[in-house]
Amino acid sequence: MTTYLLAGGGTAGHVNPLLAVADRLRERDPEASVLVLGTAEGLESRLVPARGYELLTIEKVPFPRRPNGAALRFPSRFRRSIADVRAMIAARGVDVVVGFGGYVSTPAYLAARGAGIPVVIHEANARPGLANRLGARFAARVGVAFAGTPLPHAEFVGMPLRREIEALDRRAQRPVAAEFFGLDPARPVLLVTGGSLGARRINRTTVDSAATLTGTGWQVLHVTGAKSEVGDPGIADYRMVEYADRMDLALAIADAAVSRAGAATVSELSALGIPAVYVPYPVGNGEQRFNAAGVVEAGGGILVDDADFLPEQVSREVVPMLADRDRLERMARAAASVGALDGTDRMIELVDGALRRDGTPGAAGA
């Protein structure tokens, strides 16, 4: 029996691909032991146990950004985290550590190296995080969601996707999606989403452009997010929802999209061949621009800065795109050409390869 320790957490960007890989490992070998390493504070503390996995926790020890008391305490706390993970590895007979980034991944990588077991990494963003930049230096295999991600020995695998997205039959599900959202399945649909919390600029501009967008003959499905500050304009062919608990159906009926450029969003839209206008989140280290770069360069998307996404820009760029069906078909093909629906299986192939190379008993058939 192979024992896997999957490390990652904090945000959905780390937890969701981790869970996709965990589910596939469990599906193909119910006898395998799949453990998850996280913190007691992160999103994983709720999602991992709910999915039926054992969550092992360590203290959250972020790298210090400035010289202060926390920076002075960091070395001892970090060494303790590594020692804690190493003890877990020994006690549970872990054969391989699979990391997805985040606070817990660095001590997991270093503990695995000290224990002499292979490390396999998945990097979801085109601009890699600190933990994965460190771990990739000695990892057995490194998988990336976006081609060209600057990590040593990186191999493109795509994003491990949720099963309902990976197996989505958009044509078959379109009538179901239309009924679910109250839309006409025979007419095109523009999906607008800024993520679970919403995106202020996207929401405001979309509402202000509602009549312009629906005037093209398109329907609009606007998922505002939980912290929306806009109200439903109440016009025909415009559906506003705060949260889509069936995002698979939203993607099934979408003929085009306007969205942020988070790694999971770009990966799902590309894998499904949905043309998109990407409006990257303007705060942070700019990783969302990098996430969208490949599909935009291929011709499957348009990049618009957050500050520029105004009603005038919608009229100037989005409306002509929606009016040109031939262009949209070309964009759909281009998006699909850089996407991957089999990211989960590709990632597991890397894990299997690392185990075989390491000589772990039973790895090849795990």
mmCIF file with all atom_site columns, all heavy atoms in Angstrom, residues 318-340:
data_model
loop_
_atom_site.group_PDB
_atom_site.id
_atom_site.type_symbol
_atom_site.label_atom_id
_atom_site.label_alt_id
_atom_site.label_comp_id
_atom_site.label_asym_id
_atom_site.label_entity_id
_atom_site.label_seq_id
_atom_site.pdbx_PDB_ins_code
_atom_site.Cartn_x
_atom_site.Cartn_y
_atom_site.Cartn_z
_atom_site.occupancy
_atom_site.B_iso_or_equiv
_atom_site.pdbx_formal_charge
_atom_site.auth_seq_id
_atom_site.auth_comp_id
_atom_site.auth_asym_id
_atom_site.auth_atom_id
_atom_site.pdbx_PDB_model_num
ATOM 1   N N   . VAL A 1 318 ? -15.823 44.490 -26.326 1.00 0.00 ? 318 VAL A N   1
ATOM 2   C CA  . VAL A 1 318 ? -16.596 43.286 -26.021 1.00 0.00 ? 318 VAL A CA  1
ATOM 3   C C   . VAL A 1 318 ? -17.755 43.116 -26.989 1.00 0.00 ? 318 VAL A C   1
ATOM 4   O O   . VAL A 1 318 ? -17.987 42.018 -27.523 1.00 0.00 ? 318 VAL A O   1
ATOM 5   C CB  . VAL A 1 318 ? -17.106 43.314 -24.563 1.00 0.00 ? 318 VAL A CB  1
ATOM 6   C CG1 . VAL A 1 318 ? -17.923 42.058 -24.269 1.00 0.00 ? 318 VAL A CG1 1
ATOM 7   C CG2 . VAL A 1 318 ? -15.942 43.427 -23.593 1.00 0.00 ? 318 VAL A CG2 1
ATOM 8   N N   . VAL A 1 319 ? -18.498 44.186 -27.245 1.00 0.00 ? 319 VAL A N   1
ATOM 9   C CA  . VAL A 1 319 ? -19.661 44.095 -28.131 1.00 0.00 ? 319 VAL A CA  1
ATOM 10  C C   . VAL A 1 319 ? -19.265 43.631 -29.537 1.00 0.00 ? 319 VAL A C   1
ATOM 11  O O   . VAL A 1 319 ? -19.913 42.719 -30.084 1.00 0.00 ? 319 VAL A O   1
ATOM 12  C CB  . VAL A 1 319 ? -20.416 45.438 -28.168 1.00 0.00 ? 319 VAL A CB  1
ATOM 13  C CG1 . VAL A 1 319 ? -21.445 45.445 -29.305 1.00 0.00 ? 319 VAL A CG1 1
ATOM 14  C CG2 . VAL A 1 319 ? -21.102 45.687 -26.827 1.00 0.00 ? 319 VAL A CG2 1
ATOM 15  N N   . PRO A 1 320 ? -18.221 44.191 -30.169 1.00 0.00 ? 320 PRO A N   1
ATOM 16  C CA  . PRO A 1 320 ? -17.816 43.674 -31.487 1.00 0.00 ? 320 PRO A CA  1
ATOM 17  C C   . PRO A 1 320 ? -17.411 42.199 -31.451 1.00 0.00 ? 320 PRO A C   1
ATOM 18  O O   . PRO A 1 320 ? -17.668 41.454 -32.399 1.00 0.00 ? 320 PRO A O   1
ATOM 19  C CB  . PRO A 1 320 ? -16.628 44.560 -31.870 1.00 0.00 ? 320 PRO A CB  1
ATOM 20  C CG  . PRO A 1 320 ? -16.845 45.827 -31.118 1.00 0.00 ? 320 PRO A CG  1
ATOM 21  C CD  . PRO A 1 320 ? -17.448 45.400 -29.816 1.00 0.00 ? 320 PRO A CD  1
ATOM 22  N N   . MET A 1 321 ? -16.788 41.766 -30.356 1.00 0.00 ? 321 MET A N   1
ATOM 23  C CA  . MET A 1 321 ? -16.422 40.352 -30.234 1.00 0.00 ? 321 MET A CA  1
ATOM 24  C C   . MET A 1 321 ? -17.675 39.477 -30.224 1.00 0.00 ? 321 MET A C   1
ATOM 25  O O   . MET A 1 321 ? -17.733 38.448 -30.905 1.00 0.00 ? 321 MET A O   1
ATOM 26  C CB  . MET A 1 321 ? -15.614 40.135 -28.958 1.00 0.00 ? 321 MET A CB  1
ATOM 27  C CG  . MET A 1 321 ? -15.167 38.700 -28.741 1.00 0.00 ? 321 MET A CG  1
ATOM 28  S SD  . MET A 1 321 ? -14.421 38.405 -27.104 1.00 0.00 ? 321 MET A SD  1
ATOM 29  C CE  . MET A 1 321 ? -15.911 38.280 -26.089 1.00 0.00 ? 321 MET A CE  1
ATOM 30  N N   . LEU A 1 322 ? -18.689 39.869 -29.447 1.00 0.00 ? 322 LEU A N   1
ATOM 31  C CA  . LEU A 1 322 ? -19.909 39.083 -29.363 1.00 0.00 ? 322 LEU A CA  1
ATOM 32  C C   . LEU A 1 322 ? -20.661 39.046 -30.692 1.00 0.00 ? 322 LEU A C   1
ATOM 33  O O   . LEU A 1 322 ? -21.367 38.077 -30.978 1.00 0.00 ? 322 LEU A O   1
ATOM 34  C CB  . LEU A 1 322 ? -20.825 39.641 -28.273 1.00 0.00 ? 322 LEU A CB  1
ATOM 35  C CG  . LEU A 1 322 ? -20.270 39.652 -26.843 1.00 0.00 ? 322 LEU A CG  1
ATOM 36  C CD1 . LEU A 1 322 ? -21.310 40.216 -25.877 1.00 0.00 ? 322 LEU A CD1 1
ATOM 37  C CD2 . LEU A 1 322 ? -19.844 38.257 -26.403 1.00 0.00 ? 322 LEU A CD2 1
ATOM 38  N N   . ALA A 1 323 ? -20.493 40.085 -31.492 1.00 0.00 ? 323 ALA A N   1
ATOM 39  C CA  . ALA A 1 323 ? -21.209 40.171 -32.764 1.00 0.00 ? 323 ALA A CA  1
ATOM 40  C C   . ALA A 1 323 ? -20.554 39.358 -33.867 1.00 0.00 ? 323 ALA A C   1
ATOM 41  O O   . ALA A 1 323 ? -21.153 39.154 -34.928 1.00 0.00 ? 323 ALA A O   1
ATOM 42  C CB  . ALA A 1 323 ? -21.316 41.638 -33.204 1.00 0.00 ? 323 ALA A CB  1
ATOM 43  N N   . ASP A 1 324 ? -19.343 38.882 -33.633 1.00 0.00 ? 324 ASP A N   1
ATOM 44  C CA  . ASP A 1 324 ? -18.574 38.194 -34.677 1.00 0.00 ? 324 ASP A CA  1
ATOM 45  C C   . ASP A 1 324 ? -18.486 36.706 -34.340 1.00 0.00 ? 324 ASP A C   1
ATOM 46  O O   . ASP A 1 324 ? -17.574 36.254 -33.652 1.00 0.00 ? 324 ASP A O   1
ATOM 47  C CB  . ASP A 1 324 ? -17.173 38.809 -34.765 1.00 0.00 ? 324 ASP A CB  1
ATOM 48  C CG  . ASP A 1 324 ? -16.403 38.335 -35.982 1.00 0.00 ? 324 ASP A CG  1
ATOM 49  O OD1 . ASP A 1 324 ? -16.733 37.265 -36.512 1.00 0.00 ? 324 ASP A OD1 1
ATOM 50  O OD2 . ASP A 1 324 ? -15.432 39.032 -36.367 1.00 0.00 ? 324 ASP A OD2 1
ATOM 51  N N   . ARG A 1 325 ? -19.443 35.910 -34.840 1.00 0.00 ? 325 ARG A N   1
ATOM 52  C CA  . ARG A 1 325 ? -19.491 34.490 -34.504 1.00 0.00 ? 325 ARG A CA  1
ATOM 53  C C   . ARG A 1 325 ? -18.271 33.736 -35.035 1.00 0.00 ? 325 ARG A C   1
ATOM 54  O O   . ARG A 1 325 ? -17.773 32.811 -34.390 1.00 0.00 ? 325 ARG A O   1
ATOM 55  C CB  . ARG A 1 325 ? -20.771 33.871 -35.063 1.00 0.00 ? 325 ARG A CB  1
ATOM 56  C CG  . ARG A 1 325 ? -22.042 34.453 -34.486 1.00 0.00 ? 325 ARG A CG  1
ATOM 57  C CD  . ARG A 1 325 ? -22.152 34.232 -32.987 1.00 0.00 ? 325 ARG A CD  1
ATOM 58  N NE  . ARG A 1 325 ? -22.243 32.828 -32.614 1.00 0.00 ? 325 ARG A NE  1
ATOM 59  C CZ  . ARG A 1 325 ? -22.344 32.400 -31.373 1.00 0.00 ? 325 ARG A CZ  1
ATOM 60  N NH1 . ARG A 1 325 ? -22.338 33.273 -30.368 1.00 0.00 ? 325 ARG A NH1 1
ATOM 61  N NH2 . ARG A 1 325 ? -22.431 31.110 -31.103 1.00 0.00 ? 325 ARG A NH2 1
ATOM 62  N N   . ASP A 1 326 ? -17.797 34.113 -36.216 1.00 0.00 ? 326 ASP A N   1
ATOM 63  C CA  . ASP A 1 326 ? -16.611 33.443 -36.757 1.00 0.00 ? 326 ASP A CA  1
ATOM 64  C C   . ASP A 1 326 ? -15.403 33.679 -35.853 1.00 0.00 ? 326 ASP A C   1
ATOM 65  O O   . ASP A 1 326 ? -14.611 32.765 -35.594 1.00 0.00 ? 326 ASP A O   1
ATOM 66  C CB  . ASP A 1 326 ? -16.308 33.944 -38.171 1.00 0.00 ? 326 ASP A CB  1
ATOM 67  C CG  . ASP A 1 326 ? -17.332 33.466 -39.186 1.00 0.00 ? 326 ASP A CG  1
ATOM 68  O OD1 . ASP A 1 326 ? -18.023 32.462 -38.902 1.00 0.00 ? 326 ASP A OD1 1
ATOM 69  O OD2 . ASP A 1 326 ? -17.443 34.094 -40.251 1.00 0.00 ? 326 ASP A OD2 1
ATOM 70  N N   . ARG A 1 327 ? -15.265 34.897 -35.383 1.00 0.00 ? 327 ARG A N   1
ATOM 71  C CA  . ARG A 1 327 ? -14.147 35.212 -34.475 1.00 0.00 ? 327 ARG A CA  1
ATOM 72  C C   . ARG A 1 327 ? -14.256 34.404 -33.184 1.00 0.00 ? 327 ARG A C   1
ATOM 73  O O   . ARG A 1 327 ? -13.260 33.877 -32.691 1.00 0.00 ? 327 ARG A O   1
ATOM 74  C CB  . ARG A 1 327 ? -14.138 36.706 -34.167 1.00 0.00 ? 327 ARG A CB  1
ATOM 75  C CG  . ARG A 1 327 ? -13.009 37.125 -33.232 1.00 0.00 ? 327 ARG A CG  1
ATOM 76  C CD  . ARG A 1 327 ? -13.130 38.580 -32.844 1.00 0.00 ? 327 ARG A CD  1
ATOM 77  N NE  . ARG A 1 327 ? -12.080 38.966 -31.901 1.00 0.00 ? 327 ARG A NE  1
ATOM 78  C CZ  . ARG A 1 327 ? -12.056 40.134 -31.253 1.00 0.00 ? 327 ARG A CZ  1
ATOM 79  N NH1 . ARG A 1 327 ? -13.030 41.027 -31.448 1.00 0.00 ? 327 ARG A NH1 1
ATOM 80  N NH2 . ARG A 1 327 ? -11.076 40.401 -30.406 1.00 0.00 ? 327 ARG A NH2 1
ATOM 81  N N   . LEU A 1 328 ? -15.458 34.302 -32.641 1.00 0.00 ? 328 LEU A N   1
ATOM 82  C CA  . LEU A 1 328 ? -15.652 33.553 -31.412 1.00 0.00 ? 328 LEU A CA  1
ATOM 83  C C   . LEU A 1 328 ? -15.307 32.072 -31.593 1.00 0.00 ? 328 LEU A C   1
ATOM 84  O O   . LEU A 1 328 ? -14.729 31.443 -30.706 1.00 0.00 ? 328 LEU A O   1
ATOM 85  C CB  . LEU A 1 328 ? -17.090 33.702 -30.917 1.00 0.00 ? 328 LEU A CB  1
ATOM 86  C CG  . LEU A 1 328 ? -17.434 35.042 -30.276 1.00 0.00 ? 328 LEU A CG  1
ATOM 87  C CD1 . LEU A 1 328 ? -18.934 35.136 -30.036 1.00 0.00 ? 328 LEU A CD1 1
ATOM 88  C CD2 . LEU A 1 328 ? -16.678 35.238 -28.965 1.00 0.00 ? 328 LEU A CD2 1
ATOM 89  N N   . GLU A 1 329 ? -15.656 31.524 -32.751 1.00 0.00 ? 329 GLU A N   1
ATOM 90  C CA  . GLU A 1 329 ? -15.316 30.125 -33.012 1.00 0.00 ? 329 GLU A CA  1
ATOM 91  C C   . GLU A 1 329 ? -13.812 29.937 -33.090 1.00 0.00 ? 329 GLU A C   1
ATOM 92  O O   . GLU A 1 329 ? -13.270 28.943 -32.581 1.00 0.00 ? 329 GLU A O   1
ATOM 93  C CB  . GLU A 1 329 ? -15.998 29.662 -34.300 1.00 0.00 ? 329 GLU A CB  1
ATOM 94  C CG  . GLU A 1 329 ? -17.508 29.521 -34.167 1.00 0.00 ? 329 GLU A CG  1
ATOM 95  C CD  . GLU A 1 329 ? -18.177 29.144 -35.472 1.00 0.00 ? 329 GLU A CD  1
ATOM 96  O OE1 . GLU A 1 329 ? -17.437 28.899 -36.470 1.00 0.00 ? 329 GLU A OE1 1
ATOM 97  O OE2 . GLU A 1 329 ? -19.416 29.088 -35.525 1.00 0.00 ? 329 GLU A OE2 1
ATOM 98  N N   . ARG A 1 330 ? -13.125 30.889 -33.709 1.00 0.00 ? 330 ARG A N   1
ATOM 99  C CA  . ARG A 1 330 ? -11.658 30.806 -33.771 1.00 0.00 ? 330 ARG A CA  1
ATOM 100 C C   . ARG A 1 330 ? -11.062 30.925 -32.368 1.00 0.00 ? 330 ARG A C   1
ATOM 101 O O   . ARG A 1 330 ? -10.123 30.210 -32.020 1.00 0.00 ? 330 ARG A O   1
ATOM 102 C CB  . ARG A 1 330 ? -11.093 31.909 -34.680 1.00 0.00 ? 330 ARG A CB  1
ATOM 103 C CG  . ARG A 1 330 ? -11.420 31.742 -36.147 1.00 0.00 ? 330 ARG A CG  1
ATOM 104 C CD  . ARG A 1 330 ? -10.559 32.669 -37.001 1.00 0.00 ? 330 ARG A CD  1
ATOM 105 N NE  . ARG A 1 330 ? -10.733 34.074 -36.667 1.00 0.00 ? 330 ARG A NE  1
ATOM 106 C CZ  . ARG A 1 330 ? -11.654 34.865 -37.213 1.00 0.00 ? 330 ARG A CZ  1
ATOM 107 N NH1 . ARG A 1 330 ? -12.495 34.375 -38.117 1.00 0.00 ? 330 ARG A NH1 1
ATOM 108 N NH2 . ARG A 1 330 ? -11.740 36.139 -36.868 1.00 0.00 ? 330 ARG A NH2 1
ATOM 109 N N   . MET A 1 331 ? -11.608 31.830 -31.571 1.00 0.00 ? 331 MET A N   1
ATOM 110 C CA  . MET A 1 331 ? -11.122 31.991 -30.206 1.00 0.00 ? 331 MET A CA  1
ATOM 111 C C   . MET A 1 331 ? -11.356 30.736 -29.380 1.00 0.00 ? 331 MET A C   1
ATOM 112 O O   . MET A 1 331 ? -10.502 30.345 -28.567 1.00 0.00 ? 331 MET A O   1
ATOM 113 C CB  . MET A 1 331 ? -11.804 33.195 -29.542 1.00 0.00 ? 331 MET A CB  1
ATOM 114 C CG  . MET A 1 331 ? -11.393 34.551 -30.116 1.00 0.00 ? 331 MET A CG  1
ATOM 115 S SD  . MET A 1 331 ? -12.264 35.934 -29.293 1.00 0.00 ? 331 MET A SD  1
ATOM 116 C CE  . MET A 1 331 ? -11.501 35.878 -27.641 1.00 0.00 ? 331 MET A CE  1
ATOM 117 N N   . ALA A 1 332 ? -12.500 30.099 -29.572 1.00 0.00 ? 332 ALA A N   1
ATOM 118 C CA  . ALA A 1 332 ? -12.801 28.879 -28.826 1.00 0.00 ? 332 ALA A CA  1
ATOM 119 C C   . ALA A 1 332 ? -11.782 27.787 -29.146 1.00 0.00 ? 332 ALA A C   1
ATOM 120 O O   . ALA A 1 332 ? -11.285 27.100 -28.245 1.00 0.00 ? 332 ALA A O   1
ATOM 121 C CB  . ALA A 1 332 ? -14.213 28.402 -29.140 1.00 0.00 ? 332 ALA A CB  1
ATOM 122 N N   . ARG A 1 333 ? -11.463 27.641 -30.428 1.00 0.00 ? 333 ARG A N   1
ATOM 123 C CA  . ARG A 1 333 ? -10.476 26.626 -30.815 1.00 0.00 ? 333 ARG A CA  1
ATOM 124 C C   . ARG A 1 333 ? -9.102  26.971 -30.250 1.00 0.00 ? 333 ARG A C   1
ATOM 125 O O   . ARG A 1 333 ? -8.365  26.080 -29.786 1.00 0.00 ? 333 ARG A O   1
ATOM 126 C CB  . ARG A 1 333 ? -10.410 26.504 -32.334 1.00 0.00 ? 333 ARG A CB  1
ATOM 127 C CG  . ARG A 1 333 ? -11.655 25.868 -32.960 1.00 0.00 ? 333 ARG A CG  1
ATOM 128 C CD  . ARG A 1 333 ? -11.401 25.502 -34.400 1.00 0.00 ? 333 ARG A CD  1
ATOM 129 N NE  . ARG A 1 333 ? -11.141 26.679 -35.229 1.00 0.00 ? 333 ARG A NE  1
ATOM 130 C CZ  . ARG A 1 333 ? -12.068 27.373 -35.870 1.00 0.00 ? 333 ARG A CZ  1
ATOM 131 N NH1 . ARG A 1 333 ? -13.346 27.020 -35.769 1.00 0.00 ? 333 ARG A NH1 1
ATOM 132 N NH2 . ARG A 1 333 ? -11.748 28.418 -36.614 1.00 0.00 ? 333 ARG A NH2 1
ATOM 133 N N   . ALA A 1 334 ? -8.766  28.236 -30.273 1.00 0.00 ? 334 ALA A N   1
ATOM 134 C CA  . ALA A 1 334 ? -7.456  28.660 -29.758 1.00 0.00 ? 334 ALA A CA  1
ATOM 135 C C   . ALA A 1 334 ? -7.365  28.428 -28.257 1.00 0.00 ? 334 ALA A C   1
ATOM 136 O O   . ALA A 1 334 ? -6.334  27.979 -27.742 1.00 0.00 ? 334 ALA A O   1
ATOM 137 C CB  . ALA A 1 334 ? -7.220  30.134 -30.081 1.00 0.00 ? 334 ALA A CB  1
ATOM 138 N N   . ALA A 1 335 ? -8.450  28.717 -27.532 1.00 0.00 ? 335 ALA A N   1
ATOM 139 C CA  . ALA A 1 335 ? -8.447  28.496 -26.085 1.00 0.00 ? 335 ALA A CA  1
ATOM 140 C C   . ALA A 1 335 ? -8.256  27.020 -25.771 1.00 0.00 ? 335 ALA A C   1
ATOM 141 O O   . ALA A 1 335 ? -7.445  26.642 -24.909 1.00 0.00 ? 335 ALA A O   1
ATOM 142 C CB  . ALA A 1 335 ? -9.751  29.016 -25.478 1.00 0.00 ? 335 ALA A CB  1
ATOM 143 N N   . ALA A 1 336 ? -8.993  26.174 -26.470 1.00 0.00 ? 336 ALA A N   1
ATOM 144 C CA  . ALA A 1 336 ? -8.895  24.736 -26.223 1.00 0.00 ? 336 ALA A CA  1
ATOM 145 C C   . ALA A 1 336 ? -7.505  24.200 -26.547 1.00 0.00 ? 336 ALA A C   1
ATOM 146 O O   . ALA A 1 336 ? -7.052  23.223 -25.939 1.00 0.00 ? 336 ALA A O   1
ATOM 147 C CB  . ALA A 1 336 ? -9.949  23.995 -27.042 1.00 0.00 ? 336 ALA A CB  1
ATOM 148 N N   . SER A 1 337 ? -6.816  24.849 -27.485 1.00 0.00 ? 337 SER A N   1
ATOM 149 C CA  . SER A 1 337 ? -5.492  24.364 -27.893 1.00 0.00 ? 337 SER A CA  1
ATOM 150 C C   . SER A 1 337 ? -4.445  24.519 -26.798 1.00 0.00 ? 337 SER A C   1
ATOM 151 O O   . SER A 1 337 ? -3.423  23.823 -26.808 1.00 0.00 ? 337 SER A O   1
ATOM 152 C CB  . SER A 1 337 ? -5.022  25.102 -29.155 1.00 0.00 ? 337 SER A CB  1
ATOM 153 O OG  . SER A 1 337 ? -4.632  26.446 -28.862 1.00 0.00 ? 337 SER A OG  1
ATOM 154 N N   . VAL A 1 338 ? -4.671  25.425 -25.845 1.00 0.00 ? 338 VAL A N   1
ATOM 155 C CA  . VAL A 1 338 ? -3.707  25.615 -24.757 1.00 0.00 ? 338 VAL A CA  1
ATOM 156 C C   . VAL A 1 338 ? -4.229  25.068 -23.433 1.00 0.00 ? 338 VAL A C   1
ATOM 157 O O   . VAL A 1 338 ? -3.513  25.083 -22.430 1.00 0.00 ? 338 VAL A O   1
ATOM 158 C CB  . VAL A 1 338 ? -3.319  27.107 -24.591 1.00 0.00 ? 338 VAL A CB  1
ATOM 159 C CG1 . VAL A 1 338 ? -2.668  27.633 -25.852 1.00 0.00 ? 338 VAL A CG1 1
ATOM 160 C CG2 . VAL A 1 338 ? -4.534  27.961 -24.224 1.00 0.00 ? 338 VAL A CG2 1
ATOM 161 N N   . GLY A 1 339 ? -5.469  24.595 -23.417 1.00 0.00 ? 339 GLY A N   1
ATOM 162 C CA  . GLY A 1 339 ? -6.049  24.056 -22.195 1.00 0.00 ? 339 GLY A CA  1
ATOM 163 C C   . GLY A 1 339 ? -5.851  22.549 -22.103 1.00 0.00 ? 339 GLY A C   1
ATOM 164 O O   . GLY A 1 339 ? -5.388  21.901 -23.044 1.00 0.00 ? 339 GLY A O   1
ATOM 165 N N   . ALA A 1 340 ? -6.205  21.990 -20.957 1.00 0.00 ? 340 ALA A N   1
ATOM 166 C CA  . ALA A 1 340 ? -6.085  20.546 -20.747 1.00 0.00 ? 340 ALA A CA  1
ATOM 167 C C   . ALA A 1 340 ? -7.164  20.085 -19.778 1.00 0.00 ? 340 ALA A C   1
ATOM 168 O O   . ALA A 1 340 ? -7.293  20.635 -18.685 1.00 0.00 ? 340 ALA A O   1
ATOM 169 C CB  . ALA A 1 340 ? -4.707  20.198 -20.191 1.00 0.00 ? 340 ALA A CB  1
#
